[in-house]
Amino acid sequence: MAAGAAGRVELGFAEEAPAWRLRSEQFPSKVGGRPAWLGLSGLPGPGALACARCGRPLAFLLQVYAPLPGRDDAFHRSLFLFCCREPPCCAGLRVFRNQLPRKNEFYSYEPPSETGASDTGGSVCLQLKSGAHLCRVCGCLGPKTCSRCRQAHYCSKEHQTLDWRLGHKQACTESDHLNQTAPDHNFLFPEFEIVTEAEDEITPEAVEMEDYSEVTGSLGRILEEELDSMARHESKEDHIFQKFKSKIALEPEQILRYGRGIKPIWISGENIPQEKDIPDCSCGAKRIFEFQVMPQLLNYLKADRLGRSVDWGVLAVFTCAESCSLGIGYTEEFVWKQDITDTP
């Protein structure tokens, strides 16, 4: 997806896809699995990918490929969102932006092939072309190394211990292919491609008006003053939630809404950020809304399978309005979490 005309919204949906389509060289938008890093150097380190609340390693949630038309330095551009899935925390969130010019040291100048090479089954790539090693558990930068085999790399002591318990203890000195194989640690989220389409031409206002006509038609015998009384008692909270529902009613399976510079849709009247709540970028520019993650994504994550439980109403991501270029590394942006409010 790309930043297009002002006010244009693209909807994202989760679909299964062959493994080759979700690799870095295909510039994917995707949910779960290991990150398909864009820039292959200057990756965020373990400190940047630790939960600010509990300190444990964050899990990769999703990435969005969002190049900026007309910007040579952002011909390739991706946003990477991570979350804490460790109980009782399950709250920490961090998001990073990376962008590259079309001519760069990692990828061909020409568009990637639309057909997959021979897929290598369950193999994983745990060493990037830049030479950086990735954690066997989460696929993030792995500066720590197993002291016995010197082949297995990890982001943290927690993930080294997890891998040791789930098979590395036996495989440590027996395999020369540790960079291509890794067990299922039950840490990664299920992997899907995010496919996009433009939001339907039918506006939410039109849907709301149709719903209103149906309601008022069915209540034709109710006195006008009773209708007025009902309208007066409708709370702001109800109105915001109903607006959210009507907005997504046409495409209820949407997991993501992308629209750089537009306003997000909130699920609740509580905990809506003010401008002062959104910190400026480190370059000094304001941050603007770019995309939001919808609660429907939770249906795909199987987050409760080991007692881990992540939850949200809306995750709204705000990025530098200038999409500043700070070298080839990853720039941290800002994410706002709004929970679903229980209404009486």
Side-chain angles (χ1 to χ4, degrees):
M1 60 190 68
R8 176 185 172 90
V9 176
E10 291 186 71
L11 306 180
F13 302 88
E15 292 189 3
E16 294 185 358
W20 66 268
R21 291 214 1 216
L22 305 179
R23 294 173 182 156
S24 295
E25 59 270 21
Q26 295 295 320
F27 310 112
S29 293
K30 76 184 192 80
V31 170
R34 295 174 174 83
W37 298 108
L38 180 60
L40 304 183
S41 61
L43 273 62
L49 290 175
C51 177
R53 299 193 184 189
C54 71
R56 294 182 178 180
L58 298 176
F60 171 69
L61 180 60
L62 60 80
Q63 65 189 75
V64 176
Y65 181 65
L68 298 182
R71 282 281 298 272
D72 292 341
D73 62 328
F75 185 87
H76 298 298
R77 181 175 176 272
S78 290
L79 300 160
F80 297 79
L81 181 58
F82 298 82
C83 71
C84 180
R85 64 176 302 174
E86 294 290 342
C89 181
C90 294
L93 294 158
R94 301 185 85 162
V95 61
F96 296 85
R97 169 175 54 86
N98 182 251
Q99 58 199 48
L100 297 170
R102 183 172 184 177
K103 186 176 182 180
N104 62 77
E105 59 183 302
F106 306 124
Y107 305 105
S108 169
Y109 186 84
E110 300 303 323
S113 171
E114 291 294 326
T115 56
S118 56
D119 231 324
T120 49
S123 70
V124 295
C125 177
L126 295 172
Q127 184 174 11
L128 302 179
K129 294 177 182 178
S130 63
H133 292 276
L134 302 180
C135 175
R136 282 169 53 79
V137 176
C138 65
C140 297
L141 195 63
K144 296 182 180 295
T145 307
C146 173
S147 59
R148 287 180 62 186
C149 67
R150 300 286 180 184
Q151 293 185 62
H153 294 261
Y154 305 97
C155 68
S156 62
K157 187 70 175 177
E158 289 95 334
H159 282 184
Q160 184 174 2
T161 302
L162 178 60
D163 191 45
W164 184 262
R165 198 166 62 237
L166 291 177
H168 185 62
K169 181 178 181 180
Q170 289 73 36
C172 183
T173 57
E174 300 173 3
S175 175
D176 294 326
H177 304 289
L178 290 175
N179 268 344
Q180 288 78 44
T181 58
D184 179 7
H185 301 92
N186 283 333
F187 179 80
L188 303 176
F189 290 116
E191 192 171 33
F192 298 92
E193 184 177 15
I194 300 176
V195 298
T196 62
E197 63 180 53
E199 190 168 38
D200 197 281
E201 294 294 329
I202 300 177
T203 63
E205 289 77 14
V207 176
E208 289 174 357
M209 185 57 68
E210 290 170 9
D211 293 343
Y212 179 75
S213 298
E214 291 175 8
V215 170
T216 53
S218 65
L219 299 177
R221 287 194 289 255
I222 296 180
L223 296 177
E224 186 176 344
E225 55 267 26
E226 289 181 303
L227 288 174
D228 290 340
S229 175
M230 291 169 61
R232 282 195 299 271
H233 284 86
E234 181 186 23
S235 70
K236 179 182 177 183
E237 184 69 31
D238 292 334
H239 175 72
I240 290 175
F241 183 60
Q242 291 302 323
K243 184 176 181 180
F244 181 88
K245 288 204 302 182
S246 68
K247 194 77 171 175
I248 68 173
L250 296 175
E251 297 288 357
E253 297 301 312
Q254 60 185 278
I255 63 166
L256 183 141
R257 296 176 64 87
Y258 181 92
R260 190 167 187 262
I262 68 169
K263 292 183 178 180
I265 58 170
W266 301 108
I267 199 169
S268 164
E270 301 292 327
N271 197 32
I272 294 178
Q274 304 299 310
E275 185 176 350
K276 61 181 176 58
D277 297 319
I278 310 298
D280 292 345
C281 178
S282 56
C283 75
K286 294 287 186 184
R287 283 194 171 100
I288 58 174
F289 172 77
E290 184 148 352
F291 72 88
Q292 69 186 87
V293 183
M294 307 295 280
Q296 287 86 340
L297 177 59
L298 294 165
N299 297 329
Y300 294 89
L301 297 185
K302 300 180 181 178
D304 292 324
R305 59 180 175 176
L306 288 181
R308 298 173 169 88
S309 182
V310 293
D311 194 19
W312 62 78
V314 165
L315 301 179
V317 172
F318 296 82
T319 60
C320 175
E322 301 297 328
S323 197
C324 60
S325 294
L326 300 176
I328 59 172
Y330 285 70
T331 302
E332 186 162 11
E333 298 288 10
F334 183 74
V335 55
W336 183 273
K337 179 174 183 276
Q338 186 190 51
D339 293 313
I340 298 175
T341 302
D342 293 327
T343 54

